[in-house]
């Protein structure tokens, strides 16, 4: 019925009577006027200015919205000294394969700025965390899907592998 035409990125609907030009005399003039009138009637019927709210979500706050003075200094109780950190607690990343959209951001970040602890499974093409994960949370911070990557307690302690093993006799 209508053809679609794109000019400079804009999409135009083209009616069938534009492509086939009718003469402006005799019985063709009447047919042309009737076709244009039908087209205008369909456009008027097609354009509905009312906005349907069916199926749309409307935000309704669960409680009163906090004011700025209510939020100031709420996080201070969670700030502590460096010496108070638990050095025995170790975490590593865990990726939920059901939520992963396979964007590759975790892989790129871990390989560029992390510990190269993420590889892609050749069969499922999903990221897999290896034992070399140190729990730096870089992957967690770049993941676009909330709660797709979680930091969980390590089952085995992380032992860093730094450099070459020390020689029995120093070379110097």
């Amino acid at each position: 019925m209508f053809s679609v035409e794109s000019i400079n990125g804009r999409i135009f609907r083209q009616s069938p009577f534009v492509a086939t030009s009718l003469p402006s005399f005799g019985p063709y003039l009447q047919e042309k006027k009737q076709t244009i009138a039908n087209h205008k009637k369909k456009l008027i019927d097609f354009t509905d200015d009312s906005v349907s709210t069916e199926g749309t979500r409307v935000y309704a706050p669960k409680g009163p919205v906090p004011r700025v003075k209510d939020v100031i200094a709420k996080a201070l109780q969670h700030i502590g000294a460096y010496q108070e950190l638990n050095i025995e607690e170790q975490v590593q990343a865990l990726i939920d394969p059901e939520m992963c959209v396979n964007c590759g951001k975790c892989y790129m970040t871990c390989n560029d700025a992390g510990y190269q602890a993420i590889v892609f499974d050749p069969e499922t093409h999903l990221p897999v965390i290896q034992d070399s994960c140190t729990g730096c949370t870089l992957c967690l911070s770049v993941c676009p899907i909330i709660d797709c990557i979680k930091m969980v307690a390590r089952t085995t302690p992380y032992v860093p592998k730094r450099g070459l093993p020390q020689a029995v006799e120093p070379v110097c």
Side-chain angles (χ1 to χ4, degrees):
M1 172 133 191
F2 293 100
S3 63
V4 177
E5 184 177 332
S6 176
I7 301 173
N8 294 336
R10 292 184 177 173
I11 296 175
F12 296 98
R13 289 186 345 188
Q14 191 176 31
S15 65
F17 64 84
V18 174
T20 59
S21 179
L22 292 174
S24 297
F25 60 88
Y28 301 110
L29 179 61
Q30 186 63 25
E31 185 182 345
K32 185 175 184 178
K33 286 181 181 180
Q34 184 65 34
T35 307
I36 291 172
N38 290 341
H39 177 66
K40 287 182 179 180
K41 185 175 186 287
K42 286 179 186 176
L43 284 179
I44 291 171
D45 292 342
F46 183 74
T47 57
D48 186 13
D49 292 336
S50 64
V51 177
S52 173
T53 57
E54 291 181 31
T56 59
R57 287 191 253 166
V58 178
Y59 174 74
K62 295 177 181 144
V65 178
R67 293 177 289 184
V68 173
K69 70 177 186 174
D70 298 335
V71 179
I72 291 177
K74 280 269 195 179
L76 288 177
Q77 62 187 349
H78 301 290
I79 297 175
Y82 175 76
Q83 293 80 13
E84 295 172 2
L85 290 174
N86 183 1
I87 61 171
E88 300 299 320
E89 183 181 343
Q90 293 183 350
V91 294
Q92 77 181 65
L94 176 68
I95 299 175
D96 185 358
E98 297 293 320
M99 295 179 73
C100 181
V101 294
N102 203 5
C103 65
K105 290 183 179 184
C106 59
Y107 173 78
M108 288 187 300
T109 303
C110 189
N111 280 327
D112 289 345
Y115 291 88
Q116 295 83 33
I118 298 178
V119 295
F120 276 101
D121 186 352
E123 291 180 12
T124 62
H125 301 286
L126 290 173
V128 177
I129 306 293
Q130 296 185 336
D131 266 350
S132 59
C133 177
T134 62
C136 68
T137 70
L138 285 172
C139 56
L140 175 71
S141 62
V142 298
C143 182
I145 307 299
I146 297 171
D147 292 336
C148 179
I149 300 177
K150 295 179 181 171
M151 303 310 287
V152 296
R154 287 185 67 93
T155 56
T156 58
Y158 175 72
V159 179
K161 298 178 180 94
R162 296 187 178 115
L164 298 172
Q166 189 173 3
V168 178
E169 295 179 20
V171 179
C172 315

